[in-house]
Amino acid sequence: RASSRASVAGVEGVQVDESGRGVEGTAHSLDETQRGLDETAHSLDETGAHPGFVGYDKVLVDAECTHDGSIKHLAKFSQWGWETFERRFLQPERIETLQALQLSLLRRGFALLRPGGTLVYSTCSFARAQNEAVVSSLLRDEPTAEVRPIPELRGAPCKQGAIAHTLRFEPCTSRTSALFIAKLRKKD
């Protein structure tokens, strides 16, 4: 799911198979990576980066959400019982907790971005509280953050979100589950 979101938003990454190796051997094994992390953890700064680290070119924040726009998740209610829908999706405490987590993930991802770098934020929720409200909070608090158009999705069966350049895929128009995408850039 995350890899398809990343590819449609113009972000590419390394896929890792179940052995822990990157496709075509481009990544170390998970054990080698963990050893490297253990050996260098003492030299990380407060952002979790090495001193002198400029930042990543591209970051994907495929945030945990209520999944209220996921047809696959909604279909589970035929087994769970529709009486559980409100508790699982609409409970205010759950939404507040998720929104705080989403904003934390977005801020962390943005902090790790280099100036001029791009971040894609996505969820499979219809809720503006989990989408536009989270992006708006970052834009309000981070003067170097700006929402950018996603030319790779020009002509896709989606519509603009409540913030310019954000996109919403909805079951009626896209014949998919719901999907919110915002492409953010850290100004130089």
Side-chain angles (χ1 to χ4, degrees):
R1 181 176 66 126
S3 61
S4 64
R5 289 181 189 172
S7 64
V8 298
V11 177
E12 296 179 17
V14 176
Q15 290 182 324
V16 178
D17 66 16
E18 49 289 332
S19 73
R21 297 222 174 259
V23 175
E24 299 177 20
T26 58
H28 299 290
S29 74
L30 293 177
D31 289 338
E32 291 167 336
T33 302
Q34 184 60 52
R35 274 194 301 276
L37 289 173
D38 291 343
E39 292 168 4
T40 59
H42 67 277
S43 67
L44 302 179
D45 68 13
E46 66 279 352
T47 67
H50 292 282
F53 176 72
V54 178
Y56 292 104
D57 294 334
K58 297 177 181 179
V59 173
L60 172 64
V61 177
D62 184 17
E64 178 62 28
C65 67
T66 54
H67 306 288
D68 57 282
S70 169
I71 294 169
K72 181 179 176 182
H73 280 82
L74 290 174
K76 293 176 184 177
F77 284 99
S78 63
Q79 296 170 344
W80 294 340
W82 283 99
E83 66 280 357
T84 66
F85 180 80
E86 188 171 322
R87 177 177 51 85
R88 292 178 187 263
F89 283 129
L90 304 177
Q91 196 172 52
E93 298 83 22
R94 176 167 161 64
I95 292 172
E96 288 172 14
T97 300
L98 277 172
Q99 189 179 22
L101 173 63
Q102 292 159 342
L103 184 55
S104 176
L105 292 168
L106 183 56
R107 284 184 174 143
R108 177 76 173 124
F110 194 79
L112 291 172
L113 201 59
R114 70 163 176 80
T118 301
L119 179 146
V120 171
Y121 175 79
S122 65
T123 76
C124 63
S125 174
F126 287 116
R128 287 187 179 190
Q130 297 177 63
N131 298 320
E132 287 93 344
V134 173
V135 172
S136 291
S137 292
L138 180 77
L139 293 171
R140 182 185 62 243
D141 299 341
E142 289 287 347
T144 61
E146 64 180 356
V147 180
R148 302 294 298 166
I150 307 173
E152 298 85 355
L153 292 175
R154 190 171 289 123
C158 58
K159 60 184 184 179
Q160 182 173 295
I163 299 173
H165 307 304
T166 61
L167 299 176
R168 285 181 165 272
F169 288 79
E170 297 175 349
C172 294
T173 56
S174 66
R175 297 184 183 185
T176 66
S177 291
L179 174 63
F180 173 84
I181 302 174
K183 184 176 183 179
L184 300 151
R185 180 180 174 273
K186 185 181 267 189
K187 297 175 192 174
D188 293 320

